[in-house]
Amino acid sequence: MSDSRNIVTGVFVAAAVVLSVIAYAFYPKAASSGMEEQVNKPLFKFDPEKVRSLAIVKFDSDRNSFDELVMDNHVVNGWSIPSKFGYPVDSAEKLVLTASSLAGLVVLGIASEDPTDEETYGVVEPKPGLKAGQKGVGTRVTLKNREKQDIASIIIGKEVKDRPGQRFVRVPEQRFIYVCEYDPSVLTTDFFEWINPRILDFGTQWSVRNLSLDKYGATKTALLEVNPSYRADLLLDQSKWTTLAYVDSADAKASPSLDVAELERVRLAIENFEIQDVARKSRAMALSLQQRNGIPNTFQVLGDLQRIGFFLDEMVSPAREMGAGGELAFTSTVGIRYRMLFGNLLASEATGRANDQRYVMVSADVDPDFFPMPAKPQAGGGTPEKNNDAPVPPGGGNCGEATNQDDDREARRQYQIKLEERKNRIELTRNAADQINKRFSDWFYVIDNELYRRLMPDKGAIVSKNQ
């Protein structure tokens, strides 16, 4: 009996030895068993030019939720943000910097290979399944190629103590925790860190010259109802405001002085205009606006617009686009005319905030009044009238007539030159406006309602109290 037990025990011992050998052969080695060869070498090898997607994921343990931002690079349209309806990315330099930061990631050391250290070093992967209040969750950065395959993915953890600029990092699905030099400041999921919220920021061409304020309220049920307040057309020239026209809906004869300080507040609000969110227009509507054909007059398009406070007044020809909160237009110092239509306040139940945001539509075009026609030359070239008492020059009286004809030809030539110059200036401005309008035509913007109030002051605020 004892012999049998000895045989069985021997078999188990032999099996344990064999399994130990197998486990040793296949178990990933720690830093002390070969992983030190990775030190001072790049963690990833890839061409940043082949990156077609960048994703940043963070975990908010307080809210038990994920903050994620994905940016895709399309061959035609460039970088955009799918979660924001494909809104184009403006910070191309930051994208290149973020992608390149992984390409240049060099291993400085190996901190651990124990999975229980992930929380300590802050390299727990931010992924579904984490418990509320989970500590030590890092920031995951993933780069993909055109085929949507990962070409680099890393979890950025805590900073190494007493080693500024060095971070603990881990490759997802791997247990080794490395030390690398890395600046995580580029890893933001804030939409506005990747786009320019100042959508009117096109250099000096958006400085205000002519300004029109059309303050009204508009609603529509069966019919479009408009409640006008005032309209003011103004000129800003060398810091001086001039009222070109003012119409008070309650008093047609009113001709008040307008408050210069209030006008300056409007100007500053325009030049510091910032959006807070975006929503995409339908493709049909965007294309129609790009081609300057206005809002498509279809039941579906008009119904969608009406819900957010934009309407089409079909009682005038051509039909006029209107906004629930009125409209503002201004001409820039290079002749581009911007027009803003203000829609409804966003519903608080949809945003989870107070009614403090409003829809706005923006468009751009050429202002033809900015390019006045040159004066036509008069017959005679503007030369002084003939003096009947003047002596007749030798050879008869045809010399003066020949001179007048030469002057006429020169005046007509100069007139044609000025016409051509005007045409070229308008064409250049139209090309610039088309590029700007191409961007605007795809989007509804959302602005702070306080900004709206600064852009569209009430009648009591814009009329000077010192008149």
Side-chain angles (χ1 to χ4, degrees):
M1 186 71 173
S2 59
D3 291 341
S4 300
R5 289 178 179 175
N6 289 336
I7 293 172
V8 172
T9 301
V11 171
F12 277 115
V13 169
V17 171
V18 172
L19 290 174
S20 298
V21 171
I22 294 173
Y24 180 81
F26 289 96
Y27 193 74
K29 305 302 185 295
S32 60
S33 56
M35 284 306 297
E36 67 271 8
E37 295 178 0
Q38 183 68 40
V39 176
N40 296 324
K41 293 182 180 179
L43 194 55
F44 303 108
K45 293 182 180 180
F46 65 92
D47 182 359
E49 294 293 326
K50 294 184 178 180
V51 176
R52 290 294 178 269
S53 177
L54 186 155
I56 302 170
V57 184
K58 297 182 177 182
F59 178 70
D60 188 323
S61 58
D62 294 331
R63 293 186 291 116
N64 191 31
S65 62
F66 294 93
D67 293 324
E68 181 174 11
L69 186 72
V70 178
M71 290 168 281
D72 288 341
N73 187 5
H74 300 278
V75 176
V76 176
N77 300 321
W79 285 93
S80 63
I81 303 175
S83 61
K84 287 294 182 180
F85 315 100
Y87 196 84
V89 173
D90 296 314
S91 300
E93 293 180 359
K94 184 179 289 189
L95 276 166
V96 172
L97 182 63
T98 305
S100 300
S101 68
L102 295 193
L105 204 61
V106 175
V107 175
L108 301 179
I110 299 173
S112 175
E113 63 169 304
D114 188 347
T116 62
D117 288 337
E118 291 179 8
E119 183 175 312
T120 302
Y121 293 118
V123 291
V124 175
E125 184 175 0
K127 63 180 181 179
L130 294 180
K131 296 180 180 179
Q134 171 70 55
K135 304 298 182 183
V137 182
T139 300
R140 189 180 69 219
V141 190
T142 303
L143 307 178
K144 295 179 182 290
N145 58 18
R146 192 183 304 277
E147 289 74 32
K148 300 300 181 183
Q149 298 171 331
D150 287 4
I151 55 178
S153 186
I154 194 77
I155 302 164
I156 309 297
K158 297 177 181 178
E159 188 174 46
V160 180
K161 186 178 180 180
D162 299 327
R163 296 183 186 179
Q166 293 186 16
R167 295 266 166 178
F168 297 109
V169 304
R170 184 172 69 87
V171 176
E173 309 302 328
Q174 294 186 15
R175 74 177 191 278
F176 292 101
I177 300 172
Y178 304 103
V179 174
C180 298
E181 188 169 346
Y182 193 83
D183 179 6
S185 62
V186 295
L187 304 180
T188 175
T189 55
D190 184 352
F191 174 55
F192 291 101
E193 290 292 330
W194 298 96
I195 68 114
N196 183 5
R198 294 196 172 190
I199 61 169
L200 303 181
D201 191 1
F202 295 100
T204 57
Q205 64 189 27
W206 56 268
S207 298
V208 177
R209 178 176 171 83
N210 291 77
L211 173 66
S212 295
L213 301 173
D214 195 354
K215 180 80 171 183
Y216 60 80
T219 58
K220 186 174 184 181
T221 50
L223 298 174
L224 179 63
E225 298 180 10
V226 180
N227 181 25
S229 178
Y230 70 86
R231 179 183 173 91
D233 296 322
L234 307 125
L235 171 67
L236 177 61
D237 187 17
Q238 297 182 349
S239 302
K240 180 182 179 181
W241 286 98
T242 302
T243 303
L244 303 178
Y246 180 84
V247 177
D248 188 328
S249 60
D251 185 358
K253 296 181 180 180
S255 182
S257 296
L258 301 187
D259 192 324
V260 172
E262 188 65 34
L263 294 175
E264 278 298 299
R265 282 190 283 270
V266 174
R267 181 186 67 80
L268 289 173
I270 293 172
E271 296 189 355
N272 293 284
F273 185 93
E274 287 192 2
I275 63 172
Q276 292 193 332
D277 207 347
V278 297
R280 190 155 201 142
K281 296 172 184 169
S282 68
R283 185 58 191 154
M285 181 178 176
L287 185 60
S288 181
L289 293 175
Q290 278 186 34
Q291 298 172 346
R292 307 195 188 286
N293 294 326
I295 295 174
N297 192 354
T298 66
F299 178 80
Q300 181 175 356
V301 170
L302 296 183
D304 290 341
L305 287 177
Q306 181 177 324
R307 280 189 286 274
I308 59 175
F310 299 106
F311 315 103
L312 196 62
D313 184 359
E314 301 175 74
M315 301 303 292
V316 297
S317 183
R320 174 191 174 195
E321 300 98 349
M322 303 186 73
E327 58 191 86
L328 176 153
F330 70 93
T331 299
S332 69
T333 47
V334 296
I336 296 178
R337 185 73 166 172
Y338 294 85
R339 186 185 181 210
M340 300 182 191
L341 293 176
F342 300 101
N344 287 335
L345 288 165
L346 273 69
S348 57
E349 59 269 20
T351 62
R353 318 169 31 141
N355 291 112
D356 59 356
Q357 293 180 312
R358 185 180 291 268
Y359 289 105
V360 60
M361 287 174 57
V362 187
S363 60
D365 205 345
V366 176
D367 185 350
D369 294 337
F370 189 83
F371 306 94
M373 289 287 292
K376 288 186 177 181
Q378 301 297 317
T383 56
E385 292 183 4
K386 185 186 295 183
N387 186 346
N388 293 331
D389 296 329
V392 178
N398 292 329
C399 180
E401 293 179 6
T403 300
N404 286 343
Q405 290 175 358
D406 289 342
D407 289 344
D408 286 347
R409 281 194 293 271
E410 179 61 19
R412 288 194 297 271
R413 189 179 77 85
Q414 291 296 330
Y415 175 65
Q416 291 299 322
I417 290 175
K418 292 177 181 178
L419 283 178
E420 190 65 23
E421 288 176 346
R422 177 180 182 270
K423 177 183 176 183
N424 291 338
R425 288 178 64 200
I426 290 177
E427 188 63 26
L428 287 173
T429 305
R430 178 172 286 111
N431 290 338
D434 284 345
Q435 290 302 310
I436 296 170
N437 197 56
K438 185 178 180 181
R439 177 77 171 256
F440 290 156
S441 61
D442 281 332
W443 305 100
F444 297 110
Y445 298 104
V446 175
I447 63 170
D448 190 281
N449 199 47
E450 180 56 35
L451 172 59
Y452 164 75
R453 284 192 284 263
R454 294 198 300 270
L455 291 166
M456 298 292 290
D458 292 333
K459 182 164 53 179
I462 200 170
V463 173
S464 174
K465 309 298 187 298
N466 299 319
Q467 53 181 322

